[in-house]
Amino acid sequence: MELREWLTKAWDTVFDDRARGVIEARAAGHSLEEAGARFGVTRERARQIISEGQGKLAFMADSVTPTWRAIAQQVGAAPAVRREDLAAALRAEDHVILEVLLAEAGLRAPRTWAGPLRGWWTTDPDELDRRLSRLVDRAPVRGDGLDEEARVVGVPEGVDVAELLGDPRSRVVRDAAGHWVRRKLRRRDSAYLHLLDAGRPCPAEELVEPMGVTSVAAAREGLRRDDRFVQVRPEGTWALVEWSHLRVAPYGNAIEAVVAVVTEKGPITQRALFRQVRQVYPVSASRLRQCLLSDQIGRTPDGLIDLVARGAQPIEEPEPPRPDSMAVRGDVLGLRIPVDRDVLRGSGVRVHSWLTWRLGLRQTPMRRTFATAGGHAPLTVTRAASFAQVSTLRRHAIELGVVEGCVLAVILDLASGTARVRHGCAEGECQTSLVDSPSGLDETPRAPHARLMT
């Protein structure tokens, strides 16, 4: 008698209705506790029923096909094998009872982040998960290339990879274009695949929709933070670093280009410097004038531009006009900062460069730190090439209960090196019910909302 015939008879004669029900429930993915509850037995009794059945079947199968264990283990050495393929190898019927016999031979359902892969068996339950992890490591993956990528890492044919990747516990997600991108880098991965499909540099405006961001500025910021992308000058489009056919300037920014030219040419007039730099790194004259404020660049006694390291004196900018959003009284400075989405999500806040000029930060990059109370991190003011930046105010905004459209008042005490952040909405114009009293920093306003709050 072949195993095929014997297994069918064993299902009808060796197992009673309760045992068959427990086995079928387990095969359908129910836990031992759930399978037992359906037939009024405990979890432990359900386990015993299956274990007793395994022993009976194994004893009887040994007399029919003595090599059945070796065959099952040999075929099951793959990361995942369908039950029907194991049935064919054993010359048995593809029946639920076969799962009892496979478990007795040491085979188990492959484990994945989405749980056990039902209907599949293997001698190494973790191997499929390892191969799926290698597949995820290859992301981003085009939607129409998923099967090929799965084949490369050795995922067996027939495994529903898309379903596994779509599980909430997966490290990848499907983007709007149907591609598989890493959950934590999905916007930049989507931009990468869009550029790959386009085969040409694209403006940031074109990448807003694929990246799923709300503004061109957000798209540019994401691209700048990823070394897979490079900006092509002078048109300002974005390309992939791996595109070796592009003629991309070897400088990360304009300051690097200025320093490189001065290093090579020695003391040089400002006009000649700008001309030389724009030949290798196309950029506006206004941006180049900002570069002269770098702490690496200075002016010689005879008015030439040279490196500070070679003895040139750093160049300081003249005082810019003070904006209406800032006030000063002695050693105390105040500034109003509108609360927007960037403030609430924790981004650094760009402010007018008058603030850093008043703080004595005349070159770039330079920064000054102010201590804050209440367990907050120090507040840092940084001088960049064309703007000033205040470090994140997110925790202050949360504690003060402000929302988009509100105003924060930041008070900097230069003498003590401390900072305070207050709710700064004008009375009657707040987006919430929280309105604080005016500060002693109140100057005669030059604009309707110039008054600072404390």
Side-chain angles (χ1 to χ4, degrees), residues 404-424:
E404 284 192 59
C406 285
V407 174
L408 290 175
V410 179
I411 313 298
L412 305 177
D413 190 324
L414 278 57
S416 64
T418 59
R420 292 176 294 152
V421 181
R422 297 289 182 265
H423 190 167

Side-chain angles (χ1 to χ4, degrees), residues 45-57 100 104:
R45 182 58 187 141
R47 186 195 65 77
Q48 291 173 357
I49 290 172
I50 295 175
S51 179
E52 291 168 0
Q54 285 182 197
K56 292 178 183 178
L57 281 177
V100 179
E104 177 65 21

Side-chain angles (χ1 to χ4, degrees), residues 11-271:
W11 179 252
D12 294 330
T13 59
V14 175
F15 296 96
D16 58 23
D17 290 343
R18 184 177 63 178
R20 286 196 293 268
V22 170
I23 292 170
E24 287 175 332
R26 286 292 286 158
H30 295 286
S31 66
L32 282 170
E33 186 173 2
E34 292 169 339
R38 296 179 63 182
F39 299 93
V41 298
T42 64
R43 178 184 186 280
E44 176 59 22
R45 182 58 187 141
R47 186 195 65 77
Q48 291 173 357
I49 290 172
I50 295 175
S51 179
E52 291 168 0
Q54 285 182 197
K56 292 178 183 178
L57 281 177
F59 178 78
M60 300 173 71
D62 286 340
S63 63
V64 177
T65 307
T67 59
W68 71 271
R69 282 187 180 85
I71 295 172
Q73 291 172 357
Q74 180 180 6
V75 177
V81 183
R82 292 185 185 93
R83 190 180 73 188
E84 62 190 69
D85 294 330
L86 284 160
L90 291 168
R91 302 181 67 183
E93 183 180 355
D94 181 19
H95 190 280
V96 67
I97 194 176
L98 182 61
E99 299 202 356
V100 179
L101 207 59
L102 294 176
E104 177 65 21
L107 276 67
R108 298 291 183 269
R111 288 191 285 264
T112 72
W113 54 67
L117 192 63
R118 297 295 174 184
W120 296 74
W121 294 82
T122 179
T123 57
D124 185 351
D126 294 319
E127 179 58 26
L128 178 61
D129 190 65
R130 287 191 286 267
R131 300 199 182 200
L132 289 170
S133 294
R134 289 199 287 271
L135 174 61
V136 169
D137 289 340
R138 298 173 73 89
V141 175
R142 290 179 50 87
D144 58 7
L146 180 61
D147 290 341
E148 175 62 21
E149 294 290 344
R151 185 191 64 78
V152 169
V153 300
V155 176
E157 185 177 353
V159 172
D160 193 341
V161 178
E163 182 178 355
L164 292 173
L165 294 184
D167 186 87
R169 290 159 288 191
S170 169
R171 289 189 286 120
V172 296
V173 294
R174 196 191 292 267
D175 69 4
H179 304 315
W180 294 100
V181 294
R182 290 168 290 182
R183 191 179 296 274
K184 293 184 177 180
L185 295 173
R186 55 185 178 273
R187 291 186 173 88
R188 285 178 265 171
D189 278 357
S190 293
Y192 175 86
L193 292 173
H194 181 87
L195 286 169
L196 207 59
D197 284 344
R200 57 172 174 77
C202 298
E205 290 81 357
E206 185 178 328
L207 298 172
V208 168
E209 183 177 350
M211 293 178 71
V213 294
T214 57
S215 67
V216 174
R220 291 192 184 115
E221 181 62 23
L223 297 169
R224 287 193 188 99
R225 295 167 58 188
D226 195 314
D227 58 12
R228 291 175 293 174
F229 305 102
V230 63
Q231 191 169 24
V232 181
R233 302 287 186 172
E235 59 269 26
T237 55
W238 291 88
L240 299 179
V241 169
E242 64 193 58
W243 288 346
S244 57
H245 62 283
L246 292 178
R247 296 179 58 189
V248 180
Y251 308 108
N253 52 53
I255 291 176
E256 288 184 11
V258 169
V259 171
V261 170
V262 174
T263 300
E264 178 185 356
K265 302 296 183 181
I268 187 173
T269 66
Q270 180 173 313
R271 182 176 181 179

